[in-house]
Amino acid sequence: MYNILACDDEQIVIDSLCFIFNKNFNNELQVFTANSGNEALQIVNTENIDIIFMDINMPGLTGLETLSKVMEVRPDTVVVMLSAFDKFQYAQSALNQGAFKYITKPVNRNLVIETVRDAMKLVDKKRGSMKSEGEFQKKMDIFSPMVENDFIYSCVFSKNRETEDLKPFLQYFSVSGMKHLFSVIELAGASKQQLDILQNHIRSFCNPSDRMIVSAFMVNRLVLFYSTPEENENVILERIGELYNKLCLKSYRNLRMGVSFLCDDEGNFSEVYSSALVALNYSQKNGGIEFASESDRDNLSSGDRDDDFYSRENLDSIKERLFSRMKLGDGEGVLYLAGLYSKNYVQQKGTNLDYLGFDSMEILVNARNLAKEALPGESSIPEISDAFSVFKTASTFEEIASFLERKLYDLTLFIRNNRHEKENPVVKKACDYVNSHLSEDFSLEEAAAAVGVSQFYLSKLFREVTGQTFVNYIGGQRLERARSLILETDFSIKEISAMCGYKDQNYFSKMFKGKFGLSPTELR
């Protein structure tokens, strides 16, 4: 069923159109009528109008003025303009403003029928595109910012072509078999709120056929995972350039973007991501975009990284910077510096795995001590007890480097997340309330009342402090608790689902697999 509106200040024209609509599309159209532009706009604002036949010359709000306003509020509406004058400038103006067709009066019955059918086909096409985009957006809504971070995290650490952890994400987001690239985006001095707005702007500029997954890795950087079915490399890079230009027009004039080379191999995401980091370092400090060079692609794919790719720095200097970034909770900065340390270590001290493992162990011990100092009294700091056995049995440089990066990143995020809770007593109380009521069905209003603030204030404060919404935090905590119960108890999956606040076991299993890549049964 399609909703169609006939708008003309002459009733005889409306009656003629309605006769044609009802006689030829009896069960396909729901017909609405309007005698003025203002009346048409009221109907458009209250009804889901798909197609409009509208006179170009009407008293009051003209057809062209009405067309302009319709395109503002419902740009997917298919509008056919009618006029008694066969004037090129009228037609040109109407088409330039978004009209589908321009038809002269008196209307020809066969032409109207043909135009309606063409308009219906266009509506179907737009509906299909909107459905695809809507399904993707629903998935994005389900996948909380924390899970988007998990996906990006898995991409960054997909060493040695291990892609099993990525498959559930790639299938869910429908990006398998596409071209991919990474972009590291930096906005100096950005607050969490500004990064949230930037993320929304980035997504709003996405081409309908493409996919963008954006994650906030640190206080002033975003990581963009971009996938597209487009095959032409020049077209893809032009789109990224257009994205940067559109963001600059949104007043992000000091925005820096580093863009990786393209890949269709899901086994080397870590290397592709690294090329985006390097490109970012080459971009202008006061704003600019830089693309990874062909030499970067060759060096990364061959494993032969030269000094231009990873600049030679003093190892003690890198460690000092790394620990400074840890104190700030800068996970992205720590990730980059840990990789830089490992690469420079090989360049300067060789490839003796025992020496590298020993030095890496020393870094981890110092990093954990730093976490203890930053969060005195905190008992749940991530352990590094498995580091010794990993370093001792490692057979490749990549194993040690990857393990070191993951552990340092986990410690850094722990510092950042827990410091936020401890620094703000309201957020700490809210988190305690959530964790003690995970099995219950409670609302934001009830949690706010429990900590003594308004629900609006708690919602705003929680997002500013933790970087995620209150609802997403609850979902994440419930799933983490479920994972612990599955691994550590003999409760049934149904019981665990209820204990973690999920009334629908199927929904629980879907959410669980979305976060961890395995169903509850598969994990057990």
Side-chain angles (χ1 to χ4, degrees):
M1 180 67 72
Y2 306 85
N3 291 338
I4 190 166
L5 170 64
C7 178
D8 199 295
D9 60 321
E10 296 182 71
Q11 188 61 42
I12 190 172
V13 176
I14 291 180
D15 292 342
S16 298
L17 288 173
C18 289
F19 177 80
I20 297 172
F21 295 158
N22 291 325
K23 182 174 178 60
N24 296 277
F25 306 94
N26 186 34
N27 297 319
E28 296 178 84
L29 298 177
Q30 182 173 355
V31 181
F32 298 82
T33 63
N35 294 113
S36 69
N38 286 324
E39 189 179 351
L41 286 177
Q42 291 175 5
I43 295 174
V44 168
N45 286 326
T46 57
E47 305 292 343
N48 188 22
I49 300 299
D50 300 303
I51 305 166
I52 301 176
F53 276 67
M54 182 162 55
D55 185 23
I56 203 168
N57 284 313
M58 293 185 291
L61 203 63
T62 69
L64 288 177
E65 291 170 337
T66 306
L67 169 63
S68 177
K69 292 183 180 297
V70 168
M71 290 296 102
E72 288 180 9
V73 296
R74 286 188 56 84
D76 291 318
T77 306
V78 179
V79 181
V80 179
M81 301 303 297
L82 308 173
S83 176
F85 302 99
D86 186 12
K87 291 186 177 181
F88 173 74
Q89 60 266 35
Y90 277 6
Q92 185 181 41
S93 181
L95 296 175
N96 286 343
Q97 291 187 47
F100 172 56
K101 273 191 178 181
Y102 180 90
I103 298 176
T104 56
K105 299 178 183 178
V107 293
N108 177 280
R109 183 179 66 88
N110 291 330
L111 179 58
V112 171
I113 294 172
E114 179 186 348
T115 302
V116 170
R117 293 204 181 281
D118 289 342
M120 289 164 62
K121 291 178 183 178
L122 183 56
V123 170
D124 287 341
K125 183 178 179 181
K126 291 185 176 185
R127 282 178 178 175
S129 175
M130 290 174 66
K131 181 180 179 183
S132 175
E133 294 175 25
E135 290 174 351
F136 180 68
Q137 188 57 50
K138 287 180 182 177
K139 294 176 182 179
M140 292 299 292
D141 291 340
I142 294 173
F143 266 65
S144 69
M146 186 62 70
V147 180
E148 288 188 67
N149 282 348
D150 290 344
F151 171 58
I152 298 293
Y153 180 85
S154 299
C155 290
V156 170
F157 287 116
S158 59
K159 303 283 188 180
N160 299 325
R161 309 182 68 80
E162 297 173 356
T163 59
E164 289 302 314
D165 291 342
L166 299 180
K167 286 183 178 178
F169 292 104
L170 297 172
Q171 292 170 357
Y172 190 84
F173 289 122
S174 301
V175 296
S176 296
M178 291 188 176
K179 295 278 189 181
H180 313 290
L181 61 76
F182 281 91
S183 176
V184 181
I185 304 167
E186 181 177 279
L187 184 61
S191 65
K192 286 187 177 67
Q193 184 178 12
Q194 288 172 319
L195 281 184
D196 287 341
I197 295 172
L198 175 57
Q199 281 182 276
N200 291 333
H201 281 150
I202 290 172
R203 290 196 178 102
S204 70
F205 294 138
C206 184
N207 187 290
S209 63
D210 300 339
R211 296 288 182 262
M212 289 186 182
I213 299 171
V214 191
S215 173
F217 258 55
M218 57 183 285
V219 291
N220 65 346
R221 277 187 188 173
L222 301 174
V223 177
L224 166 65
F225 177 83
Y226 175 87
S227 295
T228 177
E230 174 64 52
E231 293 291 329
N232 189 311
E233 182 170 348
N234 291 330
V235 172
I236 297 171
L237 296 182
E238 284 176 6
R239 287 180 186 172
I240 298 299
E242 289 173 1
L243 170 64
Y244 176 79
N245 291 333
K246 289 177 180 178
L247 292 174
C248 288
L249 291 174
K250 286 286 185 179
S251 299
Y252 299 109
R253 301 193 183 282
N254 59 339
L255 192 76
R256 300 173 64 208
M257 283 184 66
V259 184
S260 74
F261 54 79
L262 279 170
C263 81
D264 50 17
D265 181 356
E266 293 155 4
N268 69 341
F269 278 161
S270 177
E271 295 175 339
V272 178
Y273 168 78
S274 295
S275 73
L277 275 178
V278 172
L280 179 69
N281 288 336
Y282 283 128
S283 66
Q284 296 294 321
K285 298 301 180 183
N286 59 347
I289 184 171
E290 192 72 34
F291 294 87
S293 66
E294 289 297 320
S295 61
D296 290 338
R297 185 205 303 263
D298 295 339
N299 287 336
L300 281 167
S301 60
S302 67
D304 182 20
R305 302 172 174 87
D306 57 25
D307 288 346
D308 287 335
F309 192 82
Y310 287 108
S311 59
R312 184 180 295 273
E313 293 188 42
N314 180 277
L315 294 177
D316 290 336
S317 172
I318 296 176
K319 284 192 289 186
E320 183 178 344
R321 290 165 55 201
L322 188 152
F323 292 137
S324 295
R325 301 318 295 179
M326 276 194 70
K327 292 177 183 177
L328 295 173
D330 178 2
E332 172 68 6
V334 167
L335 199 59
Y336 172 71
L337 289 167
L340 189 65
Y341 176 84
S342 298
K343 307 305 182 294
N344 276 270
Y345 188 97
V346 171
Q347 291 178 357
Q348 297 177 38
K349 294 192 174 183
T351 57
N352 187 302
L353 295 182
D354 290 335
Y355 289 160
L356 177 59
F358 178 81
D359 285 1
S360 297
M361 188 71 203
E362 182 181 22
I363 290 175
L364 284 182
V365 170
N366 289 333
R368 196 168 191 277
N369 288 337
L370 191 151
K372 289 181 180 179
E373 294 172 7
L375 302 165
E378 180 59 56
S379 59
S380 57
I381 297 174
E383 289 292 338
I384 59 169
S385 54
D386 55 341
F388 181 78
S389 61
V390 170
F391 293 151
K392 185 177 180 180
T393 58
S395 59
T396 65
F397 154 80
E398 286 79 9
E399 286 181 62
I400 296 176
S402 179
F403 183 85
L404 175 65
E405 290 172 22
R406 284 197 297 268
K407 284 294 184 181
L408 288 173
Y409 183 75
D410 289 343
L411 284 165
T412 303
L413 289 193
F414 182 84
I415 290 174
R416 182 176 73 186
N417 294 336
N418 284 274
R419 176 187 288 145
H420 285 322
E421 292 180 16
K422 292 183 179 296
E423 286 177 350
N424 193 293
V426 173
V427 173
K428 179 65 167 63
K429 285 182 181 180
C431 290
D432 290 341
Y433 179 87
V434 169
N435 292 326
S436 60
H437 293 78
L438 288 177
S439 62
E440 304 171 23
D441 184 13
F442 61 90
S443 66
L444 172 63
E445 184 179 4
E446 291 170 320
V451 300
V453 298
S454 72
Q455 64 183 77
F456 174 78
Y457 177 75
L458 178 60
S459 176
K460 182 174 182 294
L461 180 67
F462 199 93
R463 187 176 183 88
E464 287 178 353
V465 170
T466 67
Q468 60 180 315
T469 65
F470 187 71
V471 172
N472 284 336
Y473 177 79
I474 294 172
Q477 292 300 102
R478 282 176 169 160
L479 292 174
E480 288 291 348
R481 181 179 180 184
R483 180 170 65 168
S484 297
L485 290 173
I486 290 170
L487 294 174
E488 299 170 7
T489 72
D490 294 325
F491 291 116
S492 68
I493 301 301
K494 184 176 181 180
E495 289 173 318
I496 291 174
S497 173
M499 292 167 67
C500 294
Y502 291 95
K503 296 179 181 179
D504 186 334
Q505 185 180 337
N506 291 329
Y507 178 71
F508 162 67
S509 297
K510 177 181 178 181
M511 296 298 291
F512 191 94
K513 187 165 186 176
K515 179 174 177 61
F516 299 114
L518 296 172
S519 69
T521 304
E522 291 170 337
L523 180 63
R524 174 162 278 177

